[in-house]
Amino acid sequence: MKGSTQSMGLLGWVAITFAAAALGAWASTSAASFYATLALPSWAPPASVFGPVWTLLYAMMAIAAWLVWRERGWRGARPALSFYLLQLAINALWSWLFFGWKLGALAFIEILVLLVLVCATIVAFARIRRMAALMLLPYLAWISFACALNFWVWQANPAAL
């Protein structure tokens, strides 16, 4: 691929990824104040940690998708990139379920589905570009942590969630 095509592809994957991030952030506009009202485990990070962590993770996710696209294009990487787009949509939905609609049980079920989809995306990416798969491992670790936190918070705050 030509350099300009690669640059436009990178911009495209960054735009798609951060559009999903913005959708999730829209549901999370009052997340910090809501989070402060919840009973939290001692291992829960402060609300101020989430924004920077997610920004870094979304950037790595976008680059990973771009590496896969760059390697094979849309046609050659359709299953892998479809998994990526699906998990991205499910990722954005979680913020609505948990922070927007305060549905702790559904958010927990949904994050379990997200874990499966992220694993499928990693496997699919690994078949095309190993580095892209490796770039998703911090995201998988954070989602796993978020899953445990979601469960704990949901169980400890039945009236709020």
Side-chain angles (χ1 to χ4, degrees), residues 22-127:
L23 258 167
W26 186 22
S28 305
T29 53
S30 61
S33 59
F34 175 62
Y35 189 72
T37 68
L38 298 171
L40 298 170
S42 60
W43 44 271
S48 61
V49 168
F50 291 97
V53 168
W54 274 114
T55 300
L56 178 60
L57 292 173
Y58 281 124
M60 291 174 68
M61 291 161 59
I63 293 167
W66 172 70
L67 288 172
V68 168
W69 171 83
R70 191 175 135 195
E71 191 72 28
R72 296 220 184 134
W74 175 255
R75 273 195 195 147
R78 182 175 292 168
L81 293 172
S82 294
F83 273 130
Y84 178 80
L85 293 172
L86 180 58
Q87 69 79 29
L88 199 57
I90 297 298
N91 177 310
L93 176 61
W94 183 88
S95 295
W96 285 95
L97 290 170
F98 193 87
F99 291 115
W101 303 321
K102 297 175 178 50
L103 300 170
L106 280 178
F108 179 67
I109 292 166
E110 193 264 14
I111 204 168
L112 292 173
V113 171
L114 180 59
L115 278 169
V116 170
L117 289 171
V118 171
C119 288
T121 303
I122 289 170
V123 169
F125 276 21
R127 292 180 178 147

Side-chain angles (χ1 to χ4, degrees), residues 38-39 102-105 151-161:
L38 298 171
K102 297 175 178 50
L103 300 170
F151 183 79
W152 197 101
V153 171
W154 162 47
Q155 294 297 300
N157 298 275
L161 293 164

Side-chain angles (χ1 to χ4, degrees), residues 64 68 121-123 125-127 129-138:
V68 168
T121 303
I122 289 170
V123 169
F125 276 21
R127 292 180 178 147
R129 184 80 188 262
R130 187 169 190 258
M131 178 54 72
L134 293 173
M135 290 182 77
L136 294 182
L137 292 179

